[in-house]
Amino acid sequence: CVMCCFGCLTCCGCRDVICRKLIFFPPSPPFYKIGEDEAKKDIVLHRIPLPLLPQTEDLSEEDLKNMTPATLQPSLKVRSVKLKTALNSEIMACHITHPKATDTVLYSHGNATDVGMQSYAVETLVLACRVNVLFYDYTGYGYSANPGKPSPKHIGADIQAAYDYLVKEAAIPSNRIIIYGQSLGSVPSCILASKHRVKGMVIHAGLASAIRVLKPSINKSPWFDLFRNSDVIKE
């Protein structure tokens, strides 16, 4: 059965390799580029203008040429940063702030997307809800470290680095942080929520666990299961 096979793969040390191929699908090439503002020495996110954004996940040479520095609504500010994780990855993150915001959303995106692809949706969220949003790429996504090689062990360290940036560098109290996880992003969101007391958490189309994606009827996660969101939420 599927569960027996997954257990055997765990015992022989192949689980993470298989998961990388079956679970993580970073866009290639990324839907953004990074540049530098020579005057301010800041990192600048380059993305495809919204009217030219392709409707597929495949980018052409023309799409790559169309990438320009991101321009937001005049009232908003954006800062692009590289964050170091506890596992020595360097991940890309963007922090968009609204002048009337009192809360900050720590946004973990779904699969098969990246910071560039999500930037327009996040900008809409900032404007509609009047919140600040920090969104980031997982290790192996976009211009984060280890291109094309994400892994289960990194995603917890990735979101912890994003959280540390908000609390330590942006000086945002934890009781003003709302964790938001979409699909795959529900995994790091639940990991972080189990460690830190925050204002709240939103799970959008989240995973119950890796095994439950294949076998939803099980009541308890086996020892070799990954991404045990349902167990974390119960606790």
Side-chain angles (χ1 to χ4, degrees), residues 17-79:
V17 176
I18 299 299
C19 285
R20 185 182 301 149
K21 293 182 179 297
L22 296 179
I23 296 174
F24 299 104
F25 298 97
S28 181
F31 267 66
Y32 67 99
K33 293 180 180 178
I34 52 174
E36 185 175 298
D37 184 327
E38 295 183 0
K40 298 180 179 179
K41 300 298 182 183
D42 288 338
I43 298 170
V44 179
L45 178 75
H46 292 238
R47 62 182 180 180
I48 302 170
L50 187 58
L52 302 178
L53 197 65
Q55 299 302 309
T56 68
E57 296 176 4
D58 299 318
L59 294 183
S60 66
E61 289 295 327
E62 190 64 27
D63 293 326
L64 297 176
K65 292 178 182 178
N66 285 332
M67 290 187 182
T68 57
T71 55
L72 281 66
Q73 295 285 339
S75 61
L76 306 182
K77 293 182 180 180
V78 60
R79 184 188 180 201

Side-chain angles (χ1 to χ4, degrees), residues 1-16 18-19 22 211 214-215 222-225:
C1 70
V2 172
M3 291 179 62
C4 292
C5 290
F6 205 73
C8 291
L9 288 170
T10 303
C11 291
C12 69
C14 298
R15 182 185 65 176
D16 284 3
I18 299 299
C19 285
L22 296 179
I211 287 294
L214 303 173
K215 195 174 178 62
W223 64 270
F224 50 80
D225 199 1

Side-chain angles (χ1 to χ4, degrees), residues 204-226:
H204 175 192
L207 309 178
S209 74
I211 287 294
R212 286 180 174 88
V213 172
L214 303 173
K215 195 174 178 62
S217 60
I218 64 171
N219 295 319
K220 185 178 180 181
S221 294
W223 64 270
F224 50 80
D225 199 1
L226 284 170

Side-chain angles (χ1 to χ4, degrees), residues 20 23-33 48 53-54 56-59 64 67 109-119 136-150 184:
R20 185 182 301 149
I23 296 174
F24 299 104
F25 298 97
S28 181
F31 267 66
Y32 67 99
K33 293 180 180 178
I48 302 170
L53 197 65
T56 68
E57 296 176 4
D58 299 318
L59 294 183
L64 297 176
M67 290 187 182
H109 64 65
N111 210 344
T113 188
D114 60 23
V115 161
M117 199 183 298
Q118 289 294 307
S119 61
Y136 65 99
D137 267 341
Y138 311 121
T139 295
Y141 280 65
Y143 283 86
S144 294
N146 300 323
K149 294 183 179 180
L184 177 63

